[in-house]
Amino acid sequence: MSLTVLLADDHQLVRTGFRVILEMEDDITVVGEAADGAQAVEMALRLRPDVVLMDVEMPGVDGLEATRRITAASGPSVLILTTFDRDDYLFAALRAGASGFLLKNGTPEALTEAVRVIAAGEALLAPAVTRRVISTFTTPNATGVRLDQLTPREHEVLVLLAGGATNAEIATMLHLGETTVKTHVSRVLMKIGARDRTQAVVLAYELGVVRPGG
């Protein structure tokens, strides 16, 4: 089945360009286009695509607020796309519940791969970028998260997740099968209340499970 995508950007030429790139792929279908954040929220919750490609700077409701509204309503995963390589945007996107962050000056291949990664429930950010932002902006303020609910193995998995390890890498380091690792990851996300791996990384730093540079 095709992955479905909603495009949210206030520039029609940008949306058209993204649509052309994405629909060249056999497994991706663009199901709608939104010209501002408010429209993006309405369409995301109505159409329920697999991924929303969200611009940051849009008139009225911006992309960060739209992302907050979509994720708060248990809507689809959001991939932030922006022209600006700014740490404040990146961290705000993570806090808003975005599953990834991509610059618009990337390649078409990077865009299509990002859609597949986000649709699969993975985090898009490179570990070095995630650690850089978290070490700059994160303060210990996570509440309501009970780490004692994690088993010792799940705690190990969370630590490795926070270091940016993939499922395959975790499987190798812990001498487990990838299917087992996927099960552990799902349980960790559920127990700490994280929407996806990206939010799990943020929470791991906020809770002191790992430290920047550690």
Side-chain angles (χ1 to χ4, degrees):
M1 295 178 63
S2 291
L3 302 176
T4 54
V5 178
L6 171 67
L7 306 176
D9 196 293
D10 59 329
H11 293 97
Q12 184 174 351
L13 284 177
V14 173
R15 298 197 307 271
T16 300
F18 287 154
R19 178 185 282 273
V20 169
I21 291 170
L22 294 173
E23 293 199 330
M24 289 179 65
E25 304 296 313
D26 293 337
D27 60 335
I28 300 176
T29 300
V30 176
V31 294
E33 298 183 18
D36 57 51
Q39 189 177 24
V41 174
E42 186 277 325
M43 294 181 71
L45 299 181
R46 174 169 52 86
L47 298 175
R48 293 285 171 171
D50 295 305
V51 179
V52 179
L53 298 189
M54 183 77 73
D55 187 25
V56 173
E57 295 190 346
M58 294 186 288
V61 177
D62 66 19
L64 298 177
E65 176 59 27
T67 298
R68 277 189 286 271
R69 295 182 188 182
I70 290 170
T71 57
S74 299
S77 298
V78 177
L79 170 61
I80 295 289
L81 285 155
T82 179
T83 307
F84 308 102
D85 184 9
R86 289 173 43 176
D87 281 353
D88 56 341
Y89 277 178
L90 174 51
F91 190 73
L94 292 176
R95 296 297 297 164
S99 297
F101 186 95
L102 191 68
L103 295 177
K104 289 182 179 178
N105 61 4
T107 64
E109 292 78 15
L111 177 62
T112 54
E113 180 60 21
V115 168
R116 296 187 181 103
V117 168
I118 298 301
E122 300 280 349
L124 180 69
L125 303 178
V129 173
T130 304
R131 287 195 293 268
R132 169 173 58 105
V133 175
I134 291 171
S135 66
T136 302
F137 292 99
T138 301
T139 56
N141 60 5
T143 58
V145 178
R146 293 280 304 280
L147 288 178
D148 58 3
Q149 296 182 61
L150 300 180
T151 66
R153 178 64 83 191
E154 289 166 353
H155 191 278
E156 287 181 302
V157 169
L158 177 57
V159 171
L160 295 174
L161 275 179
T166 65
N167 285 353
E169 290 167 340
I170 293 173
T172 299
M173 287 184 277
L174 297 182
H175 306 289
L176 300 171
E178 283 195 54
T179 300
T180 302
V181 170
K182 289 180 181 178
T183 299
H184 284 312
V185 170
S186 296
R187 289 175 177 168
V188 168
L189 297 184
M190 178 185 66
K191 289 182 179 181
I192 67 174
R195 175 185 175 86
D196 52 35
R197 297 168 75 102
T198 305
Q199 286 192 323
V201 172
V202 175
L203 281 171
Y205 277 85
E206 290 186 336
L207 292 165
V209 175
V210 288
R211 295 189 302 273

